[in-house]
Amino acid sequence: MTDTAGTGALPVEGVPAARVLDEIRALRAADRPTHGGRLFAYVYDPGVAGLDELAQAAHAESAHVNGLDPTAFPSLLAMENAVVGAAARLLGGGPGTSAPDVVGSVTSGGTESLILAVKAARDARPDLAEPRIVVPVSGHAAFAKAAHYLRVALDPVPVDPLTLRPAVADVAAAIRPETVLVVASAPSYAHGVVDPVAEIAAVAAAAGVRCHVDACFGGWTLPWLRRLGAPVPAFDFAVPGVTSISVDLHKYAYAPKGVSVLLHRDPGLRAPQFFAYADWPGYTMVNPVIASTRSGGPIAAAYATLRHLGEDGYLRLAALTRDAVAGLADAVRAVDGLRLMAEPESTVVCFTAGDPGLDLFVLVDELTARGWHTQPQLAYAGLPASVHLTVTAAVAPRVAEFGPALAEAAAAARAAGPVVLPPELLALAGSLTPEALTPDLIAGIAAGLGLDAGSAPDRMAAVNTLLDAAPVRLRERLLVEFVGLLQRPTW
Ligand SMILES: Cc1ncc(COP(=O)(O)O)c(C=O)c1O
């Protein structure tokens, strides 16, 4: 029988709703598991029964509402203001605090929040021809993206290989007359350590420069962990000199994807974030964020999630997460040849291998083969390659299974031995410049690594080993080429 529907996105004849959903479910079967506490990156799962259904229903209520014009859709404005108020209050702002005039915006994610923090800082200084930002190398890559998009120069500050934090003196030394923003992380994504925010904010303030705290990852966990008794250093608006903070609700607030909050200490600091335009014949446009048309879905879903979980819900989830972190860290300590990059102080467990016989990239593949999905991080500037685990509340019931799985995967990785790449491939990685990469060379490298157009490989150790051997700029170029191979239209 001819299938007139075909498999493309735009069939000649429309496909019945139930079948379309079945098709999506069949595609989703190849994905990593978003729920169940076995995926330690990309997803944030509280493991709370009924929460997904609530968020989906709230999302559906507002999916067609447009944030383009807050006067046309006051429901969205009300929810956005409520969510921003909750984030501000959690992070040391609002009535009765030292930052009573905090304002904010909901963005699509951490990257957009960071781009806008950089834009606001840049546009507050139109006198500077070449604005610059100071960012510890442990700061999120989105700052580099912001610098690139906005033509702002990036002044990276190294981190201490033991503490994984920048030295405040190095931050101070990096500040120049053209610096418009200094960045601190609470915590850094890679290793989960909190920068010395108070000291960094002080040197920024002394220089008359804005200081952004990137709490995209930790802004919705550190306050609860502190309430539970953890020694969390001051990192929010309680710290003098902190001018803006970002916190992602689609991370530890457990809202569906598409929601972050960017807060500024006062409206004057936020003003240059906005873009308004009336010099055309269409509607007058004012956008607080990068997007113009914005779906109300993610904001409504975040609002519903926050209201449903409440402070007591987040405290309970933070306690579960804290205990899971401790259990996973113990599991790492129990395996010979593995060591923690840092003692966990937030919700990240990050480890490296101190033994050449235990190849971390092979270990990651062995864990994947056993249904545990971790995130490899390449060696960088004197820091060794490592494995990152973002820990969420849903991991708690899994912790007891993780230890044996890690030990077994480590034994399998030892038995398999380190990845051995063809010497000519390794030599290429060490010697090639990005400019020298030709389409033929790229095709050869991709074939050597078993990368096919249109599908991702099961085992990534060879790819990671090659990237690890390459200098940073070549890594970037290879990544662009590899992902370009995956992103091909299907007809
Ligand atoms: C500290 C930090 N900042 C920024 C981001 C970027 O967030 P997004 O992926 O939502 O753009 C992340 C993401 O993990 C992060 O951990």
Side-chain angles (χ1 to χ4, degrees):
M1 198 176 88
T2 317
D3 179 3
T4 52
T7 53
L10 186 61
V12 175
E13 286 168 27
V15 175
R19 191 169 136 202
V20 175
L21 282 178
D22 283 346
E23 289 167 358
I24 292 176
R25 289 187 188 115
L27 286 170
R28 291 269 295 103
D31 290 350
R32 297 196 172 198
T34 55
H35 293 69
R38 285 170 160 265
L39 172 53
F40 295 97
Y42 316 117
V43 299
Y44 297 80
D45 179 11
V48 172
L51 189 63
D52 272 356
E53 290 74 11
L54 169 66
Q56 281 157 20
H59 195 290
E61 283 294 333
S62 295
H64 294 286
V65 168
N66 195 339
L68 173 65
D69 182 349
T71 63
F73 302 103
S75 69
L76 202 53
L77 183 62
M79 285 189 277
E80 179 163 0
N81 283 341
V83 159
V84 168
R89 203 155 52 91
L90 189 62
L91 295 168
T97 70
S98 58
D101 300 325
V102 170
V103 288
S105 307
V106 172
T107 72
S108 64
T111 299
E112 187 180 350
S113 290
L114 300 186
I115 291 174
L116 287 171
V118 175
K119 174 191 152 31
R122 182 196 70 172
D123 290 356
R125 294 293 310 273
D127 55 309
L128 294 175
E130 289 178 354
R132 319 182 69 88
I133 58 174
V134 170
V135 186
V137 294
S138 52
H140 195 275
F143 287 108
K145 183 171 173 178
H148 179 72
Y149 278 19
L150 298 168
R151 284 193 192 273
V152 168
L154 184 69
D155 290 316
V157 177
V159 294
D160 180 291
L162 289 179
T163 66
L164 305 168
R165 286 176 244 270
V168 179
D170 290 344
V171 174
I175 299 176
R176 305 196 206 176
E178 303 79 27
T179 304
V180 296
L181 187 70
V182 173
V183 166
S185 302
S188 65
Y189 177 81
H191 307 118
V193 302
V194 181
D195 285 344
V197 173
E199 292 84 346
I200 290 177
V203 295
V209 175
R210 293 178 182 223
C211 174
H212 180 81
V213 175
D214 180 5
C216 284
F217 189 83
W220 215 270
T221 51
L222 294 175
W224 313 119
L225 293 173
R226 182 189 285 140
R227 282 191 209 181
L228 291 166
V232 173
F235 72 96
D236 60 17
F237 285 117
V239 176
V242 169
T243 53
S244 56
I245 305 181
S246 48
V247 54
D248 292 357
L249 304 188
H250 64 199
K251 293 191 170 76
Y252 282 98
Y254 295 117
K257 303 262 182 275
V259 186
S260 166
V261 176
L262 173 59
L263 302 166
H264 295 271
R265 190 180 278 274
D266 63 52
L269 289 163
R270 182 179 64 173
Q273 174 193 314
F274 283 38
F275 179 79
Y277 198 72
D279 198 1
W280 74 308
Y283 55 89
T284 45
M285 194 175 81
V286 52
N287 294 151
V289 298
I290 294 178
S292 197
T293 282
R294 277 195 292 162
S295 168
I299 293 176
Y303 174 79
T305 304
L306 262 58
R307 274 194 70 73
H308 186 58
L309 288 174
E311 295 198 354
D312 59 347
Y314 284 114
L315 266 175
R316 193 176 48 77
L317 293 170
L320 285 172
T321 309
R322 174 200 58 192
D323 295 348
V325 165
L328 295 178
D330 282 346
V332 170
R333 287 190 199 96
V335 175
D336 267 353
L338 295 183
R339 73 174 168 81
L340 293 167
M341 285 289 290
E343 280 305 311
E345 57 187 83
S346 59
T347 56
V348 170
V349 174
C350 181
F351 61 87
T352 186
D355 169 350
L358 181 50
D359 184 319
L360 276 186
F361 301 137
V362 177
L363 173 65
V364 165
D365 281 347
E366 291 297 336
L367 280 167
T368 306
R370 288 165 178 76
W372 298 92
H373 307 276
T374 59
Q375 195 171 47
Q377 300 182 139
L378 305 181
Y380 174 76
L383 301 177
S386 59
V387 177
H388 167 106
L389 309 185
T390 287
V391 184
T392 59
V395 174
R398 296 277 175 203
V399 169
E401 298 159 50
F402 181 75
L406 182 65
E408 211 182 286
R414 268 185 210 286
V419 169
V420 183
L421 286 181
E424 59 281 7
L425 215 53
L426 264 186
L428 268 183
S431 62
L432 257 184
T433 59
E435 298 72 38
L437 266 181
T438 61
D440 279 354
L441 266 175
I442 292 158
I445 294 173
L449 294 171
L451 290 173
D452 291 327
S455 70
D458 289 343
R459 291 201 160 240
M460 292 297 290
V463 176
N464 287 323
T465 304
L466 181 84
L467 291 173
D468 205 50
V472 166
R473 297 292 161 243
L474 183 60
R475 285 178 185 174
E476 291 164 353
R477 176 71 196 283
L478 286 169
L479 285 169
V480 168
E481 297 296 341
F482 293 162
V483 171
L485 280 178
L486 296 177
Q487 288 208 321
R488 293 290 154 95
T490 50
W491 308 111

